[in-house]
Amino acid sequence: MNIILMGPPGAGKGTQAKKISEELGLAHVSTGDLFRNALRSMNEFGVKANAYMEKGELVPDSLTNEMLLDHLEKNKDAMAAGFILDGYPRNVDQAEHLANVILPKLGTKIDAVLNIAVPSQKLITRLSGRRTCRDCGTSFHVEFNPPKVEGVCDNCGGELYQRADENETAVAKRLDTYDQATRPLIEYYANKGELTEINGDQSMDKVFADIKESLKG
Ligand code: ADP
Ligand code: ADP
Ligand code: ZN
């Protein structure tokens, strides 16, 4: 099963993608994590992408599409049961590229498109309190989902940090970028009859339960 997980920055895509991937054995593919990992290893994709990410802008489609395809092709074995795309596609051109180039190349298709909806005013609180693991990308929240030991990842023991694009200016720009470029994808997939809305303004466990329920049908 292949799933697209959509939603604004801070909606809970990463949190839910990790839970789904554990439950269903799907590979979690986050383009944001791929860019951050690429930057850490000083890989060309990461260095080029960083200038855009710091400002809260989208990385150009050509670079993003190439990085994603490269990752999917190199990790085919880990995707035997399928994958969850978290943070891709982020505009209509990427959605078309996914449908017309990437999926045919991999010989597969998307089975579900889930949109996690959260009221805008709650996103800033979620983003400003988020702490992310440097090693595995798991996200925590200082108030809503604190780690057992402050500054340490429950999952892998890695160091928790605050992302470089989590300052006030970059967050405002990311929310704006979402409204301009990404929000239109809701209608794009709804028009195709492929969209499932998930209420993301509930506890993490309830959101997860709703996602599992929607995947049954
Ligand atoms: P995204 O990947 O969509 O940007 P995350 O999964 O990283 O979002 O979640 C953003 C922040 O909100 C994190 O700090 C996370 O711990 C927290 N969070 C996620 N889901 C919920 C929820 N249902 N209720 C409250 N906080 C949440
Ligand atoms: P969020 O928590 O806001 O959903 P992500 O970790 O998914 O954040 O993305 C962080 C940044 O990485 C984005 O602001 C953007 O600069 C870049 N990025 C991630 N995915 C894409 C994509 N599909 N297209 C273009 N840029 C992307
Ligand atoms: Zn970790």
Side-chain angles (χ1 to χ4, degrees), residues 93-139:
D93 284 346
Q94 290 182 7
E96 300 267 309
H97 184 85
L98 177 67
N100 300 327
V101 179
I102 296 185
L103 294 173
K105 253 189 191 157
L106 298 171
T108 190
K109 63 178 179 57
I110 297 296
D111 303 288
V113 182
L114 309 180
N115 182 52
I116 306 182
V118 173
S120 308
Q121 70 272 19
K122 299 217 170 162
L123 298 173
I124 306 220
T125 323
R126 287 199 185 180
L127 292 171
S128 57
R130 171 158 66 185
R131 299 293 181 270
T132 305
C133 176
R134 268 194 211 284
D135 294 333
C136 73
T138 299
S139 61

Side-chain angles (χ1 to χ4, degrees), residues 2 37 69 73 84 113 121 125 133 143 146 194 208:
N2 299 320
N37 291 340
L69 183 61
E73 286 187 325
I84 307 163
V113 182
Q121 70 272 19
T125 323
C133 176
E143 191 184 333
E194 293 172 0
F208 185 48

Side-chain angles (χ1 to χ4, degrees), residues 8-16 86 126-127 129-131 139-141 144-145 200 202-204 207:
K13 301 181 295 298
T15 300
Q16 297 299 329
D86 160 9
R126 287 199 185 180
L127 292 171
R130 171 158 66 185
R131 299 293 181 270
S139 61
F140 296 85
H141 192 282
F144 307 139
N145 182 27
Q202 318 180 78
S203 74
M204 295 178 194
V207 176

Side-chain angles (χ1 to χ4, degrees), residues 195-215:
L195 190 79
T196 304
E197 288 280 4
I198 302 289
N199 176 9
D201 189 13
Q202 318 180 78
S203 74
M204 295 178 194
D205 289 343
K206 182 69 172 71
V207 176
F208 185 48
D210 285 1
I211 289 177
K212 280 196 289 189
E213 192 57 39
S214 86
L215 293 176

